[in-house]
Amino acid sequence: MAGGRPQGWIVVLPLKRLGAAKSRLEHPGRALLALAMATDTAAAAAAVGRDVVAGVLLVTNDPAATAAITGRAADGDDASAGYPADGGGPAPVLAVPDLPDRGLNAALRHGARIAARRWPGHGVAAMSADLAALRPAELRAALLAAPAAGRAVLADAAGTGTVLLCAAAGSELLPQFGVDSHALHVRSGAVDLTGGLATTVPGLRRDVDTVTDLAAARLLGVGPATSAVLATAAANAG
């Protein structure tokens, strides 16, 4: 195992208010699509297996997103059913308000602090909430590859952004998401997982900001919530 002994990670997912989410995505159901992608992302993360992912923490000020995503998890509606997973069943999906309300990095720092208090001794894994094609096995492989101490980063499909930033227990997350975030995270000391994982985790590396990204995710196979929104949009357009 490249990253040493496994540890129970807490996955932190930031999500804007749905009305403001995915502003670059030119799609008639943009808000519903943002919610669906976050739902699929959270479900896939929760299905990794509790030996690797101990919990999923959604950071958002959108009450509809909070109700939909945590409610779906509580009902046991696993949006990643059929994907490979190990280790004792789905992790809990919880939500907390984005109290700083000052953008992505502030939300992630806030979520990391809450995770450290609620789950002491666990690492924190900050992840994009728009990974519509994510499979649990991909996230499992990436988290098992992360070092048992310090930080690690995984680049997006373009190679410049960040889809996953890990901080092992006792390490500060230090998120710098934004333009050229992958290089910034590497320069700040995060171990780069991208080369080692390469093309083995395509869904994890495929975040969705534009219609071109969405088309690429659909080729990989999106989760059921995203698929349902896209099918409804297609039916309405027809």
Side-chain angles (χ1 to χ4, degrees):
M1 178 181 312
R5 66 173 181 83
Q7 61 179 300
W9 294 91
I10 306 304
V11 174
V12 178
L13 297 176
L15 181 62
K16 291 181 180 179
R17 292 179 180 85
L18 295 176
K22 297 289 125 193
S23 58
R24 295 166 52 200
L25 185 58
E26 297 177 1
H27 190 278
R30 180 168 55 84
L32 288 176
L33 191 54
L35 175 57
M37 292 192 295
T39 299
D40 286 333
T41 302
V48 164
R50 289 200 188 195
D51 59 325
V52 175
V53 171
V56 178
L57 188 65
L58 179 71
V59 182
T60 186
N61 284 333
D62 194 296
T66 295
I69 295 173
T70 61
R72 189 167 187 147
D75 290 341
D77 185 0
D78 179 11
S80 59
Y83 297 167
D86 294 310
V93 179
L94 308 176
V96 295
D98 178 6
L99 294 181
D101 201 14
R102 294 195 306 271
L104 176 60
N105 290 312
L108 287 172
R109 290 191 294 270
H110 175 62
R113 286 192 294 269
I114 291 174
R117 290 197 301 267
R118 187 179 182 96
W119 292 277
H122 292 281
V124 173
M127 197 167 69
S128 300
D130 57 357
L131 305 179
L134 176 65
R135 268 61 171 177
E138 297 178 351
L139 180 56
R140 185 179 181 88
L143 292 175
L144 289 176
R151 297 159 62 243
V153 64
L154 179 68
D156 61 8
T160 57
T162 298
V163 290
L164 179 68
L165 178 67
C166 301
S171 299
E172 197 172 352
L173 186 62
L174 302 175
Q176 299 184 70
F177 284 76
V179 177
D180 294 327
S181 64
H182 176 254
L184 291 173
H185 286 136
V186 170
R187 283 202 293 270
S188 70
V191 173
D192 190 2
L193 303 177
T194 311
L197 293 171
T199 59
T200 64
V201 291
L204 177 55
R205 297 186 64 193
R206 178 74 279 165
D207 56 338
V208 176
D209 290 316
T210 67
V211 291
T212 300
D213 297 336
L214 180 58
R218 294 183 77 175
L219 288 176
L220 294 172
V222 297
T226 304
S227 181
V229 168
L230 293 174
T232 298
N236 291 339

